[in-house]
PDB file of all heavy atoms in Angstrom:
ATOM      1  N   ILE A   1       2.116  10.436  29.191  1.00  0.00           N
ATOM      2  CA  ILE A   1       0.891  10.415  28.559  1.00  0.00           C
ATOM      3  C   ILE A   1       0.944  11.422  27.313  1.00  0.00           C
ATOM      4  O   ILE A   1       0.656  11.152  26.099  1.00  0.00           O
ATOM      5  CB  ILE A   1      -0.357  10.939  29.329  1.00  0.00           C
ATOM      6  CG1 ILE A   1      -0.520   9.991  30.485  1.00  0.00           C
ATOM      7  CG2 ILE A   1      -1.658  11.117  28.489  1.00  0.00           C
ATOM      8  CD1 ILE A   1      -1.296  10.276  31.700  1.00  0.00           C
ATOM      9  N   LEU A   2       1.686  12.604  27.526  1.00  0.00           N
ATOM     10  CA  LEU A   2       1.892  13.571  26.421  1.00  0.00           C
ATOM     11  C   LEU A   2       2.827  12.991  25.262  1.00  0.00           C
ATOM     12  O   LEU A   2       2.613  13.236  24.097  1.00  0.00           O
ATOM     13  CB  LEU A   2       2.536  14.795  27.014  1.00  0.00           C
ATOM     14  CG  LEU A   2       1.669  15.706  27.846  1.00  0.00           C
ATOM     15  CD1 LEU A   2       2.382  16.768  28.552  1.00  0.00           C
ATOM     16  CD2 LEU A   2       0.521  16.424  27.004  1.00  0.00           C
ATOM     17  N   HIS A   3       3.819  12.235  25.960  1.00  0.00           N
ATOM     18  CA  HIS A   3       4.686  11.545  24.868  1.00  0.00           C
ATOM     19  C   HIS A   3       3.936  10.578  23.954  1.00  0.00           C
ATOM     20  O   HIS A   3       4.262  10.553  22.721  1.00  0.00           O
ATOM     21  CB  HIS A   3       5.811  10.937  25.539  1.00  0.00           C
ATOM     22  CG  HIS A   3       6.903  10.338  24.672  1.00  0.00           C
ATOM     23  ND1 HIS A   3       7.756  11.083  23.814  1.00  0.00           N
ATOM     24  CD2 HIS A   3       7.085   8.868  24.277  1.00  0.00           C
ATOM     25  CE1 HIS A   3       8.443  10.196  23.202  1.00  0.00           C
ATOM     26  NE2 HIS A   3       8.139   9.048  23.566  1.00  0.00           N
ATOM     27  N   THR A   4       2.996   9.824  24.456  1.00  0.00           N
ATOM     28  CA  THR A   4       2.208   8.827  23.679  1.00  0.00           C
ATOM     29  C   THR A   4       1.371   9.573  22.725  1.00  0.00           C
ATOM     30  O   THR A   4       1.217   9.257  21.450  1.00  0.00           O
ATOM     31  CB  THR A   4       1.466   7.994  24.601  1.00  0.00           C
ATOM     32  OG1 THR A   4       0.694   8.853  25.489  1.00  0.00           O
ATOM     33  CG2 THR A   4       2.253   6.977  25.506  1.00  0.00           C
ATOM     34  N   LYS A   5       0.794  10.733  23.134  1.00  0.00           N
ATOM     35  CA  LYS A   5      -0.011  11.478  22.185  1.00  0.00           C
ATOM     36  C   LYS A   5       0.808  12.138  21.152  1.00  0.00           C
ATOM     37  O   LYS A   5       0.401  12.269  19.903  1.00  0.00           O
ATOM     38  CB  LYS A   5      -0.776  12.484  22.984  1.00  0.00           C
ATOM     39  CG  LYS A   5      -1.974  11.821  23.899  1.00  0.00           C
ATOM     40  CD  LYS A   5      -2.807  12.948  24.485  1.00  0.00           C
ATOM     41  CE  LYS A   5      -3.927  12.245  25.289  1.00  0.00           C
ATOM     42  NZ  LYS A   5      -4.683  13.270  25.996  1.00  0.00           N
ATOM     43  N   ARG A   6       2.001  12.585  21.445  1.00  0.00           N
ATOM     44  CA  ARG A   6       2.950  13.092  20.410  1.00  0.00           C
ATOM     45  C   ARG A   6       3.201  12.078  19.318  1.00  0.00           C
ATOM     46  O   ARG A   6       3.327  12.351  18.223  1.00  0.00           O
ATOM     47  CB  ARG A   6       4.196  13.590  21.111  1.00  0.00           C
ATOM     48  CG  ARG A   6       3.989  14.865  21.741  1.00  0.00           C
ATOM     49  CD  ARG A   6       5.308  15.367  22.404  1.00  0.00           C
ATOM     50  NE  ARG A   6       5.152  16.490  23.191  1.00  0.00           N
ATOM     51  CZ  ARG A   6       5.995  17.087  24.028  1.00  0.00           C
ATOM     52  NH1 ARG A   6       7.188  16.455  24.104  1.00  0.00           N
ATOM     53  NH2 ARG A   6       5.844  18.161  24.681  1.00  0.00           N
ATOM     54  N   GLN A   7       3.466  10.849  19.828  1.00  0.00           N
ATOM     55  CA  GLN A   7       3.711   9.752  18.944  1.00  0.00           C
ATOM     56  C   GLN A   7       2.592   9.507  17.980  1.00  0.00           C
ATOM     57  O   GLN A   7       2.658   9.243  16.791  1.00  0.00           O
ATOM     58  CB  GLN A   7       4.074   8.456  19.729  1.00  0.00           C
ATOM     59  CG  GLN A   7       5.449   8.445  20.346  1.00  0.00           C
ATOM     60  CD  GLN A   7       5.708   7.078  21.120  1.00  0.00           C
ATOM     61  OE1 GLN A   7       4.740   6.308  21.339  1.00  0.00           O
ATOM     62  NE2 GLN A   7       6.734   7.025  21.608  1.00  0.00           N
ATOM     63  N   ALA A   8       1.277   9.601  18.607  1.00  0.00           N
ATOM     64  CA  ALA A   8       0.195   9.461  17.730  1.00  0.00           C
ATOM     65  C   ALA A   8       0.068  10.497  16.622  1.00  0.00           C
ATOM     66  O   ALA A   8      -0.233  10.378  15.440  1.00  0.00           O
ATOM     67  CB  ALA A   8      -1.216   9.441  18.535  1.00  0.00           C
ATOM     68  N   LEU A   9       0.433  11.656  17.047  1.00  0.00           N
ATOM     69  CA  LEU A   9       0.426  12.824  16.088  1.00  0.00           C
ATOM     70  C   LEU A   9       1.464  12.755  15.020  1.00  0.00           C
ATOM     71  O   LEU A   9       1.207  12.904  13.870  1.00  0.00           O
ATOM     72  CB  LEU A   9       0.762  14.199  16.763  1.00  0.00           C
ATOM     73  CG  LEU A   9      -0.516  14.736  17.685  1.00  0.00           C
ATOM     74  CD1 LEU A   9      -0.086  15.869  18.506  1.00  0.00           C
ATOM     75  CD2 LEU A   9      -1.620  15.199  16.732  1.00  0.00           C
ATOM     76  N   GLU A  10       2.686  12.155  15.352  1.00  0.00           N
ATOM     77  CA  GLU A  10       3.728  11.831  14.452  1.00  0.00           C
ATOM     78  C   GLU A  10       3.228  10.730  13.482  1.00  0.00           C
ATOM     79  O   GLU A  10       3.540  10.887  12.277  1.00  0.00           O
ATOM     80  CB  GLU A  10       4.954  11.443  15.107  1.00  0.00           C
ATOM     81  CG  GLU A  10       5.686  12.675  15.882  1.00  0.00           C
ATOM     82  CD  GLU A  10       6.823  12.155  16.623  1.00  0.00           C
ATOM     83  OE1 GLU A  10       7.137  10.868  16.596  1.00  0.00           O
ATOM     84  OE2 GLU A  10       7.592  12.986  17.247  1.00  0.00           O
ATOM     85  N   MET A  11       2.433   9.776  13.909  1.00  0.00           N
ATOM     86  CA  MET A  11       2.012   8.712  13.081  1.00  0.00           C
ATOM     87  C   MET A  11       0.992   9.312  12.164  1.00  0.00           C
ATOM     88  O   MET A  11       0.925   8.971  10.950  1.00  0.00           O
ATOM     89  CB  MET A  11       1.319   7.601  13.889  1.00  0.00           C
ATOM     90  CG  MET A  11       2.334   6.841  14.729  1.00  0.00           C
ATOM     91  SD  MET A  11       3.423   5.799  13.823  1.00  0.00           S
ATOM     92  CE  MET A  11       2.199   4.595  13.305  1.00  0.00           C
ATOM     93  N   ALA A  12       0.225  10.183  12.616  1.00  0.00           N
ATOM     94  CA  ALA A  12      -0.925  10.915  11.877  1.00  0.00           C
ATOM     95  C   ALA A  12      -0.149  11.766  10.592  1.00  0.00           C
ATOM     96  O   ALA A  12      -0.500  11.611   9.480  1.00  0.00           O
ATOM     97  CB  ALA A  12      -1.776  11.660  12.523  1.00  0.00           C
ATOM     98  N   SER A  13       0.918  12.398  11.009  1.00  0.00           N
ATOM     99  CA  SER A  13       1.628  13.176  10.022  1.00  0.00           C
ATOM    100  C   SER A  13       2.283  12.283   9.059  1.00  0.00           C
ATOM    101  O   SER A  13       2.329  12.580   7.861  1.00  0.00           O
ATOM    102  CB  SER A  13       2.663  14.032  10.764  1.00  0.00           C
ATOM    103  OG  SER A  13       3.660  13.260  11.502  1.00  0.00           O
ATOM    104  N   ASP A  14       2.847  11.092   9.497  1.00  0.00           N
ATOM    105  CA  ASP A  14       3.420  10.281   8.538  1.00  0.00           C
ATOM    106  C   ASP A  14       2.433   9.643   7.562  1.00  0.00           C
ATOM    107  O   ASP A  14       2.793   9.431   6.307  1.00  0.00           O
ATOM    108  CB  ASP A  14       4.060   8.900   9.222  1.00  0.00           C
ATOM    109  CG  ASP A  14       5.289   9.400  10.107  1.00  0.00           C
ATOM    110  OD1 ASP A  14       5.973  10.341   9.708  1.00  0.00           O
ATOM    111  OD2 ASP A  14       5.592   8.795  11.208  1.00  0.00           O
ATOM    112  N   GLU A  15       1.327   9.344   8.134  1.00  0.00           N
ATOM    113  CA  GLU A  15       0.234   8.927   7.187  1.00  0.00           C
ATOM    114  C   GLU A  15      -0.233   9.979   6.164  1.00  0.00           C
ATOM    115  O   GLU A  15      -0.445   9.679   4.988  1.00  0.00           O
ATOM    116  CB  GLU A  15      -0.949   8.474   8.021  1.00  0.00           C
ATOM    117  CG  GLU A  15      -0.801   7.216   8.906  1.00  0.00           C
ATOM    118  CD  GLU A  15      -2.120   6.845   9.674  1.00  0.00           C
ATOM    119  OE1 GLU A  15      -2.998   7.515   9.664  1.00  0.00           O
ATOM    120  OE2 GLU A  15      -2.050   5.712  10.268  1.00  0.00           O
ATOM    121  N   ILE A  16      -0.307  11.298   6.609  1.00  0.00           N
ATOM    122  CA  ILE A  16      -0.620  12.368   5.732  1.00  0.00           C
ATOM    123  C   ILE A  16       0.541  12.467   4.589  1.00  0.00           C
ATOM    124  O   ILE A  16       0.325  12.614   3.462  1.00  0.00           O
ATOM    125  CB  ILE A  16      -0.676  13.614   6.420  1.00  0.00           C
ATOM    126  CG1 ILE A  16      -1.997  13.494   7.267  1.00  0.00           C
ATOM    127  CG2 ILE A  16      -0.742  14.865   5.534  1.00  0.00           C
ATOM    128  CD1 ILE A  16      -2.032  14.608   8.350  1.00  0.00           C
ATOM    129  N   ALA A  17       1.814  12.193   5.068  1.00  0.00           N
ATOM    130  CA  ALA A  17       2.894  12.286   4.021  1.00  0.00           C
ATOM    131  C   ALA A  17       2.793  11.121   3.010  1.00  0.00           C
ATOM    132  O   ALA A  17       3.024  11.283   1.746  1.00  0.00           O
ATOM    133  CB  ALA A  17       4.328  12.204   4.698  1.00  0.00           C
ATOM    134  N   LYS A  18       2.452   9.975   3.662  1.00  0.00           N
ATOM    135  CA  LYS A  18       2.143   8.836   2.572  1.00  0.00           C
ATOM    136  C   LYS A  18       1.082   9.061   1.801  1.00  0.00           C
ATOM    137  O   LYS A  18       1.179   8.736   0.458  1.00  0.00           O
ATOM    138  CB  LYS A  18       1.886   7.521   3.465  1.00  0.00           C
ATOM    139  CG  LYS A  18       3.058   7.073   4.242  1.00  0.00           C
ATOM    140  CD  LYS A  18       2.692   5.771   4.939  1.00  0.00           C
ATOM    141  CE  LYS A  18       3.894   5.144   5.784  1.00  0.00           C
ATOM    142  NZ  LYS A  18       3.651   4.020   6.651  1.00  0.00           N
ATOM    143  N   ALA A  19       0.073   9.669   2.215  1.00  0.00           N
ATOM    144  CA  ALA A  19      -1.157  10.062   1.356  1.00  0.00           C
ATOM    145  C   ALA A  19      -0.647  10.969   0.231  1.00  0.00           C
ATOM    146  O   ALA A  19      -1.091  10.924  -0.903  1.00  0.00           O
ATOM    147  CB  ALA A  19      -2.283  10.439   2.225  1.00  0.00           C
ATOM    148  N   ASN A  20       0.172  11.877   0.703  1.00  0.00           N
ATOM    149  CA  ASN A  20       0.655  12.807  -0.315  1.00  0.00           C
ATOM    150  C   ASN A  20       1.556  12.121  -1.425  1.00  0.00           C
ATOM    151  O   ASN A  20       1.483  12.455  -2.589  1.00  0.00           O
ATOM    152  CB  ASN A  20       1.541  13.940   0.282  1.00  0.00           C
ATOM    153  CG  ASN A  20       0.649  14.958   1.139  1.00  0.00           C
ATOM    154  OD1 ASN A  20      -0.408  15.248   0.710  1.00  0.00           O
ATOM    155  ND2 ASN A  20       1.116  15.371   2.285  1.00  0.00           N
ATOM    156  N   GLN A  21       2.282  11.249  -1.021  1.00  0.00           N
ATOM    157  CA  GLN A  21       3.048  10.445  -1.990  1.00  0.00           C
ATOM    158  C   GLN A  21       2.283   9.704  -2.878  1.00  0.00           C
ATOM    159  O   GLN A  21       2.508   9.583  -4.025  1.00  0.00           O
ATOM    160  CB  GLN A  21       4.105   9.543  -1.159  1.00  0.00           C
ATOM    161  CG  GLN A  21       5.230  10.196  -0.524  1.00  0.00           C
ATOM    162  CD  GLN A  21       6.035   9.304   0.294  1.00  0.00           C
ATOM    163  OE1 GLN A  21       5.845   8.201   0.279  1.00  0.00           O
ATOM    164  NE2 GLN A  21       7.010   9.878   0.874  1.00  0.00           N
ATOM    165  N   ILE A  22       1.166   9.015  -2.304  1.00  0.00           N
ATOM    166  CA  ILE A  22       0.257   8.302  -3.310  1.00  0.00           C
ATOM    167  C   ILE A  22      -0.512   9.190  -4.214  1.00  0.00           C
ATOM    168  O   ILE A  22      -0.646   8.731  -5.373  1.00  0.00           O
ATOM    169  CB  ILE A  22      -0.820   7.503  -2.224  1.00  0.00           C
ATOM    170  CG1 ILE A  22      -0.125   6.551  -1.496  1.00  0.00           C
ATOM    171  CG2 ILE A  22      -2.030   6.938  -3.128  1.00  0.00           C
ATOM    172  CD1 ILE A  22      -0.906   5.926  -0.393  1.00  0.00           C
ATOM    173  N   ILE A  23      -0.789  10.511  -3.762  1.00  0.00           N
ATOM    174  CA  ILE A  23      -1.406  11.361  -4.605  1.00  0.00           C
ATOM    175  C   ILE A  23      -0.564  11.781  -5.751  1.00  0.00           C
ATOM    176  O   ILE A  23      -0.920  11.836  -6.881  1.00  0.00           O
ATOM    177  CB  ILE A  23      -1.949  12.486  -3.901  1.00  0.00           C
ATOM    178  CG1 ILE A  23      -3.275  12.060  -2.994  1.00  0.00           C
ATOM    179  CG2 ILE A  23      -2.416  13.619  -4.822  1.00  0.00           C
ATOM    180  CD1 ILE A  23      -3.610  12.968  -1.797  1.00  0.00           C
ATOM    181  N   LEU A  24       0.730  12.020  -5.353  1.00  0.00           N
ATOM    182  CA  LEU A  24       1.704  12.414  -6.492  1.00  0.00           C
ATOM    183  C   LEU A  24       1.895  11.258  -7.561  1.00  0.00           C
ATOM    184  O   LEU A  24       1.951  11.348  -8.707  1.00  0.00           O
ATOM    185  CB  LEU A  24       3.072  12.674  -5.835  1.00  0.00           C
ATOM    186  CG  LEU A  24       3.035  14.002  -4.904  1.00  0.00           C
ATOM    187  CD1 LEU A  24       4.342  14.110  -4.235  1.00  0.00           C
ATOM    188  CD2 LEU A  24       2.910  15.257  -5.818  1.00  0.00           C
ATOM    189  N   LYS A  25       2.049  10.016  -6.886  1.00  0.00           N
ATOM    190  CA  LYS A  25       2.116   8.877  -7.755  1.00  0.00           C
ATOM    191  C   LYS A  25       0.870   8.839  -8.772  1.00  0.00           C
ATOM    192  O   LYS A  25       1.005   8.565 -10.007  1.00  0.00           O
ATOM    193  CB  LYS A  25       2.304   7.561  -7.000  1.00  0.00           C
ATOM    194  CG  LYS A  25       3.640   7.453  -6.304  1.00  0.00           C
ATOM    195  CD  LYS A  25       3.742   6.178  -5.636  1.00  0.00           C
ATOM    196  CE  LYS A  25       5.057   6.002  -4.879  1.00  0.00           C
ATOM    197  NZ  LYS A  25       5.043   4.780  -4.079  1.00  0.00           N
ATOM    198  N   GLN A  26      -0.219   9.042  -8.276  1.00  0.00           N
ATOM    199  CA  GLN A  26      -1.417   8.868  -9.030  1.00  0.00           C
ATOM    200  C   GLN A  26      -1.416   9.965 -10.062  1.00  0.00           C
ATOM    201  O   GLN A  26      -1.964   9.771 -11.248  1.00  0.00           O
ATOM    202  CB  GLN A  26      -2.673   8.999  -8.121  1.00  0.00           C
ATOM    203  CG  GLN A  26      -2.816   7.740  -7.343  1.00  0.00           C
ATOM    204  CD  GLN A  26      -4.049   7.861  -6.338  1.00  0.00           C
ATOM    205  OE1 GLN A  26      -4.709   8.858  -6.271  1.00  0.00           O
ATOM    206  NE2 GLN A  26      -4.405   6.752  -5.722  1.00  0.00           N
ATOM    207  N   SER A  27      -0.931  11.220  -9.700  1.00  0.00           N
ATOM    208  CA  SER A  27      -1.013  12.259 -10.650  1.00  0.00           C
ATOM    209  C   SER A  27       0.130  12.014 -11.816  1.00  0.00           C
ATOM    210  O   SER A  27      -0.248  12.183 -13.041  1.00  0.00           O
ATOM    211  CB  SER A  27      -0.573  13.580 -10.005  1.00  0.00           C
ATOM    212  OG  SER A  27       0.785  13.478  -9.481  1.00  0.00           O
ATOM    213  N   GLN A  28       1.137  11.447 -11.525  1.00  0.00           N
ATOM    214  CA  GLN A  28       2.110  10.926 -12.465  1.00  0.00           C
ATOM    215  C   GLN A  28       1.428   9.934 -13.431  1.00  0.00           C
ATOM    216  O   GLN A  28       1.582   9.957 -14.584  1.00  0.00           O
ATOM    217  CB  GLN A  28       3.418  10.431 -11.833  1.00  0.00           C
ATOM    218  CG  GLN A  28       4.226  11.471 -11.229  1.00  0.00           C
ATOM    219  CD  GLN A  28       5.365  10.935 -10.373  1.00  0.00           C
ATOM    220  OE1 GLN A  28       5.584   9.840 -10.345  1.00  0.00           O
ATOM    221  NE2 GLN A  28       6.305  11.817  -9.872  1.00  0.00           N
ATOM    222  N   GLU A  29       0.855   8.923 -12.812  1.00  0.00           N
ATOM    223  CA  GLU A  29       0.252   7.868 -13.608  1.00  0.00           C
ATOM    224  C   GLU A  29      -0.826   8.494 -14.534  1.00  0.00           C
ATOM    225  O   GLU A  29      -1.054   8.072 -15.704  1.00  0.00           O
ATOM    226  CB  GLU A  29      -0.472   6.920 -12.661  1.00  0.00           C
ATOM    227  CG  GLU A  29       0.643   6.027 -12.052  1.00  0.00           C
ATOM    228  CD  GLU A  29      -0.100   4.919 -11.012  1.00  0.00           C
ATOM    229  OE1 GLU A  29      -1.202   5.041 -10.773  1.00  0.00           O
ATOM    230  OE2 GLU A  29       0.744   4.217 -10.535  1.00  0.00           O
ATOM    231  N   LEU A  30      -1.637   9.406 -14.004  1.00  0.00           N
ATOM    232  CA  LEU A  30      -2.578  10.043 -14.892  1.00  0.00           C
ATOM    233  C   LEU A  30      -1.992  10.798 -16.030  1.00  0.00           C
ATOM    234  O   LEU A  30      -2.525  10.827 -17.132  1.00  0.00           O
ATOM    235  CB  LEU A  30      -3.477  11.099 -13.971  1.00  0.00           C
ATOM    236  CG  LEU A  30      -4.477  10.470 -13.054  1.00  0.00           C
ATOM    237  CD1 LEU A  30      -4.987  11.529 -12.072  1.00  0.00           C
ATOM    238  CD2 LEU A  30      -5.605   9.893 -13.781  1.00  0.00           C
ATOM    239  N   LEU A  31      -0.854  11.600 -15.713  1.00  0.00           N
ATOM    240  CA  LEU A  31      -0.139  12.104 -16.907  1.00  0.00           C
ATOM    241  C   LEU A  31       0.265  11.111 -17.878  1.00  0.00           C
ATOM    242  O   LEU A  31       0.206  11.304 -19.154  1.00  0.00           O
ATOM    243  CB  LEU A  31       1.125  12.911 -16.383  1.00  0.00           C
ATOM    244  CG  LEU A  31       0.727  14.146 -15.593  1.00  0.00           C
ATOM    245  CD1 LEU A  31       1.945  14.681 -14.858  1.00  0.00           C
ATOM    246  CD2 LEU A  31       0.186  15.253 -16.403  1.00  0.00           C
ATOM    247  N   ASN A  32       0.790  10.079 -17.431  1.00  0.00           N
ATOM    248  CA  ASN A  32       1.220   8.978 -18.323  1.00  0.00           C
ATOM    249  C   ASN A  32       0.042   8.346 -19.261  1.00  0.00           C
ATOM    250  O   ASN A  32       0.190   8.167 -20.408  1.00  0.00           O
ATOM    251  CB  ASN A  32       1.856   7.813 -17.548  1.00  0.00           C
ATOM    252  CG  ASN A  32       3.258   8.118 -16.989  1.00  0.00           C
ATOM    253  OD1 ASN A  32       4.016   8.861 -17.656  1.00  0.00           O
ATOM    254  ND2 ASN A  32       3.547   7.702 -15.821  1.00  0.00           N
ATOM    255  N   GLN A  33      -1.028   8.366 -18.417  1.00  0.00           N
ATOM    256  CA  GLN A  33      -2.346   7.742 -19.199  1.00  0.00           C
ATOM    257  C   GLN A  33      -2.766   8.719 -20.173  1.00  0.00           C
ATOM    258  O   GLN A  33      -3.261   8.422 -21.283  1.00  0.00           O
ATOM    259  CB  GLN A  33      -3.356   7.562 -18.284  1.00  0.00           C
ATOM    260  CG  GLN A  33      -3.246   6.286 -17.349  1.00  0.00           C
ATOM    261  CD  GLN A  33      -4.204   6.133 -16.323  1.00  0.00           C
ATOM    262  OE1 GLN A  33      -5.163   6.970 -16.286  1.00  0.00           O
ATOM    263  NE2 GLN A  33      -4.084   5.061 -15.511  1.00  0.00           N
TER     264      GLN A  33
END
């Protein structure tokens, strides 16, 4: 059960990393604009 919850946390951390990447891309696009 703990292992499954750890996987969920890892998925959440991956999603946070993806959101950070999206924010960086958007900041670059704003600089280009």
Side-chain angles (χ1 to χ4, degrees):
I1 294 164
L2 289 168
H3 183 68
T4 54
K5 289 184 178 180
R6 283 177 186 174
Q7 286 179 356
L9 287 168
E10 287 176 357
M11 292 292 287
S13 62
D14 292 330
E15 287 179 356
I16 290 162
K18 287 179 182 179
N20 289 323
Q21 289 177 1
I22 290 162
I23 290 161
L24 290 169
K25 286 180 182 179
Q26 288 176 355
S27 63
Q28 289 177 0
E29 288 176 355
L30 289 167
L31 292 169
N32 293 321
Q33 287 176 0

